[in-house]
Amino acid sequence: MDKYIRFDWAAKRMLRDKANFAVLEGLMTVLFDEQVTIVELLESEGNQEQENDKFNRVDIKARNSKGEIILVEIQQTRELYYLQRILFGVAKTITEHMKLGNKYDQVKKVYSISIVYFDLGKGADYLYHGQNQLIGVHTKDQLVINTRDKDAIRMVAPSDIFPEYYIIRVNEFNKVATTPLEEWLDYLKDGNIKDDTTTPGLTEAKERLRYLQMSDAERRAYDRHMDNIMVENDILETKVIEGLEQGRKEGRKEGRKEGRKEGLKEGLEEGRKEGLEEGLKEGRKEGRKEGHKEGLEEGRKEGHKEGLEVGRKEGLEVGRKEGLEEGRKHGLEEGRAAGRFEAMLDLARRMKQRGTPLAVIAELTGLSEEDVTPL
């Protein structure tokens, strides 16, 4: 199987030649899922050759046929504030390519592609994409903006203007390559290119990035570059292991110190808790005795008082009940007598109207003649 030059080496020394733009264009075409044509490469910090290039990141800044700017960055070693630097690089690119006095319509969209060979953080995927949109907080719709394009007004989404970010985590790729994107990841990670590949960019890389095509001097420089990467990775790994071991030692020391403090604190707390529980237990026992004694005394007093009160209430209730019963009885008797008297008066009135003598009426109704005369 042919041996191919690593992408970071090729990007720094070979792909800047316009004849080799097709390799970069292929990567961007696969990544963006649309045909990309590079018009020119722009100057960037990572373009310069340096003696210590084993520590230096590789930057490529290109302009495509739409006038958009594409930043490709390849980095081998960890950087603490990596995301902040990506953002700064995009912002700097936007301002660098705005001439003083230009209108804002000259601001060009920027694509940032980061190819990293270190553990950037948590995440299961090997490709991450970030794009800005303005979404309604309540309506969830996407805001589009009116803008002037030449002599016409057209609608533009923020995603058409704001930068887009791609992060390729090369070391997280562990699949069998079956798609163009996976073939590119296989090349970026292990330098593999299929013999029958038709993937954009890799067909050109297969012809132009063969290791054996380099001169002896180029191969020696390339081999030194690969050795430097291996050494640097070993150094970083050693530092990580040493840091972990140092951290364990310091952690054990701090742990013992904190353990003593925590032990003392917990011991005091447990002592207070046990003492409180014992005190409560003894206090309850003594309290029950004293409470029982005082309760009996208070109970007798309260019972006598309540008994008197209940007796009064019950006597009053019984008196009311008996009085009510007697009242009903007397009332019933008086009512009946009054009813009989009224009935006799009514009978005497009718008899008198018929001409019945008073003496006869009095005898039949039991009324006196004085009661009958007024009728």
Side-chain angles (χ1 to χ4, degrees):
M1 179 180 291
D2 287 329
K3 181 179 178 181
Y4 297 100
I5 302 167
R6 269 179 63 109
F7 186 72
D8 58 330
W9 174 274
K12 195 171 186 68
R13 292 167 177 80
M14 302 174 68
L15 300 184
R16 301 180 190 282
D17 185 344
K18 192 167 185 177
N20 295 326
F21 280 3
V23 178
L24 289 174
E25 290 172 344
L27 171 60
M28 297 171 190
T29 295
V30 170
L31 198 59
F32 298 163
D33 196 24
E34 66 176 15
Q35 183 64 43
V36 175
T37 301
I38 296 176
V39 176
E40 62 176 329
L41 293 186
L42 306 171
E43 186 63 31
S44 67
E45 292 180 5
N47 286 1
Q48 296 95 19
E49 294 281 348
Q50 295 185 17
E51 289 295 325
N52 63 337
D53 66 350
K54 66 178 179 176
F55 303 109
N56 186 43
R57 68 180 188 272
V58 179
D59 291 340
I60 298 176
K61 185 188 295 183
R63 193 194 311 275
N64 66 13
S65 56
K66 298 179 183 179
E68 300 167 330
I69 299 173
I70 302 172
L71 296 176
V72 181
E73 178 179 289
I74 308 165
Q75 181 143 333
Q76 302 287 342
T77 56
R78 182 189 306 275
E79 188 169 342
L80 187 59
Y81 300 109
Y82 188 69
L83 292 181
Q84 290 88 333
R85 187 169 62 72
I86 291 176
L87 177 61
F88 177 79
V90 169
K92 184 179 179 183
T93 297
I94 294 172
T95 57
E96 280 179 347
H97 294 275
M98 274 287 289
K99 294 181 180 179
L100 189 64
N102 280 0
K103 295 181 179 179
Y104 291 122
D105 63 346
Q106 297 301 308
V107 172
K108 301 301 180 183
K109 177 161 182 167
V110 176
Y111 294 88
S112 171
I113 303 172
S114 299
I115 303 173
V116 298
Y117 286 84
F118 59 90
D119 184 8
L120 186 61
K122 297 180 79 173
D125 209 335
Y126 57 83
L127 175 62
Y128 287 86
H129 176 220
Q131 187 176 27
N132 291 315
Q133 295 179 332
L134 297 178
I135 304 298
V137 173
H138 303 98
T139 59
K140 306 304 178 186
D141 65 319
Q142 182 178 344
L143 180 67
V144 292
I145 309 295
N146 291 329
T147 188
R148 180 176 292 278
D149 185 6
K150 296 181 180 178
D151 295 327
I153 300 295
R154 66 184 182 92
M155 305 297 285
V156 175
S159 57
D160 297 329
I161 302 296
F162 292 163
E164 287 189 41
Y165 301 88
Y166 291 85
I167 295 181
I168 301 174
R169 303 169 71 212
V170 177
N171 294 337
E172 297 303 315
F173 178 75
N174 55 7
K175 300 174 64 177
V176 176
T178 58
T179 67
L181 179 61
E182 290 170 351
E183 285 192 39
W184 260 104
L185 263 296
D186 194 22
Y187 167 60
L188 292 174
K189 182 176 182 180
D190 298 318
N192 297 327
I193 301 178
K194 293 181 178 180
D195 292 337
D196 58 350
T197 185
T198 58
T199 295
L202 292 184
T203 54
E204 292 79 8
K206 188 171 179 294
E207 298 300 325
R208 300 171 188 178
L209 302 184
R210 283 194 174 95
Y211 175 76
L212 294 178
Q213 287 180 343
M214 291 192 294
S215 65
D216 290 341
E218 288 173 336
R219 278 199 296 271
R220 284 194 296 272
Y222 177 75
D223 291 340
R224 283 197 304 272
H225 172 72
M226 295 302 296
D227 289 340
N228 286 337
I229 290 176
M230 294 178 63
V231 170
E232 178 64 17
N233 287 336
D234 287 342
I235 291 173
L236 289 174
E237 187 174 353
T238 301
K239 287 181 179 178
V240 170
I241 294 172
E242 290 175 350
L244 287 172
E245 184 60 30
Q246 183 65 27
R248 290 191 187 99
K249 288 181 180 178
E250 293 179 1
R252 284 193 291 268
K253 184 177 179 181
E254 289 293 325
R256 292 190 190 99
K257 186 177 179 180
E258 291 295 325
R260 292 188 187 97
K261 290 182 180 179
E262 290 292 329
L264 178 60
K265 183 179 179 181
E266 290 177 5
L268 288 171
E269 186 64 28
E270 288 181 7
R272 291 190 188 99
K273 188 175 180 181
E274 290 178 4
L276 181 61
E277 288 178 356
E278 290 181 5
L280 287 172
K281 187 175 180 181
E282 294 177 0
R284 289 191 189 101
K285 188 175 181 181
E286 294 178 4
R288 287 191 192 99
K289 289 182 180 179
E290 295 181 4
H292 184 262
K293 183 177 179 182
E294 293 179 4
L296 285 174
E297 185 65 26
E298 290 293 328
R300 291 189 186 100
K301 291 180 181 179
E302 291 292 330
H304 183 262
K305 183 177 179 181
E306 289 182 9
L308 288 173
E309 184 65 26
V310 170
R312 289 191 190 97
K313 288 182 179 179
E314 290 181 355
L316 182 60
E317 183 64 27
V318 171
R320 286 196 189 97
K321 189 174 181 180
E322 291 179 356
L324 182 60
E325 186 64 29
E326 289 183 8
R328 285 197 189 98
K329 186 184 287 186
H330 288 304
L332 184 58
E333 289 177 357
E334 289 180 2
R336 286 178 183 147
R340 284 195 298 269
F341 181 72
E342 288 294 330
M344 291 299 107
L345 285 176
D346 186 58
L347 178 60
R349 187 179 296 107
R350 290 197 301 271
M351 291 174 68
K352 186 178 179 183
Q353 290 173 352
R354 294 189 188 105
T356 305
L358 295 178
V360 175
I361 294 172
E363 183 178 354
L364 292 174
T365 61
L367 299 173
S368 65
E369 291 186 10
E370 289 81 4
D371 292 330
V372 176
T373 300
L375 298 175

